[in-house]
Amino acid sequence: MKKYALLSLAAATLWLQYSLIFGNHGIKKGVSLKNTISRMEDENGKIEIKNERLKKQIQEIKNNPDKMDKILRGFFMIKENEIFIMPYTPSNKS
């Protein structure tokens, strides 16, 4: 009788250890989730840095009208009562 009890106890212990390590909520899954969280935190940090840089650029544009003018002229925008002239250069395709 003791033999069966010990055998049952050993089987239950092995099953619990297997569940703890390899189960859906086991150690292996926990390590995987920690790695995923770490990668996401790194990515979020990079995005936050980029957002801060963009906020600074927006403030520069809001506070400096000449900066906005320079950006718009890069898109061939012209001021009111200005004339835009683009020189024509014929291509040499025959």
Side-chain angles (χ1 to χ4, degrees), residues 59-86:
Q59 285 304 317
E60 283 180 24
I61 291 171
K62 283 182 176 180
N63 297 332
N64 187 354
D66 293 334
K67 180 97 171 171
M68 177 60 91
D69 191 49
K70 183 178 179 182
I71 292 170
L72 291 176
R73 289 182 180 277
F75 291 111
F76 300 107
M77 303 285 286
I78 58 172
K79 291 182 181 178
E80 193 172 328
N81 297 325
E82 283 187 338
I83 297 173
F84 176 74
I85 299 175
M86 185 172 197

Side-chain angles (χ1 to χ4, degrees), residues 21-79:
I21 296 172
F22 299 108
N24 287 340
H25 302 290
I27 295 172
K28 187 175 180 183
K29 180 73 170 184
V31 170
S32 173
L33 289 173
K34 282 184 180 181
N35 291 338
T36 301
I37 289 170
S38 178
R39 280 195 316 271
M40 289 178 150
E41 286 174 342
D42 291 343
E43 186 176 334
N44 285 347
K46 291 176 186 176
I47 291 171
E48 286 175 5
I49 291 170
K50 184 176 180 180
N51 283 344
E52 288 302 316
R53 191 171 55 238
L54 290 172
K55 285 178 186 178
K56 287 179 184 177
Q57 288 178 351
I58 289 169
Q59 285 304 317
E60 283 180 24
I61 291 171
K62 283 182 176 180
N63 297 332
N64 187 354
D66 293 334
K67 180 97 171 171
M68 177 60 91
D69 191 49
K70 183 178 179 182
I71 292 170
L72 291 176
R73 289 182 180 277
F75 291 111
F76 300 107
M77 303 285 286
I78 58 172
K79 291 182 181 178

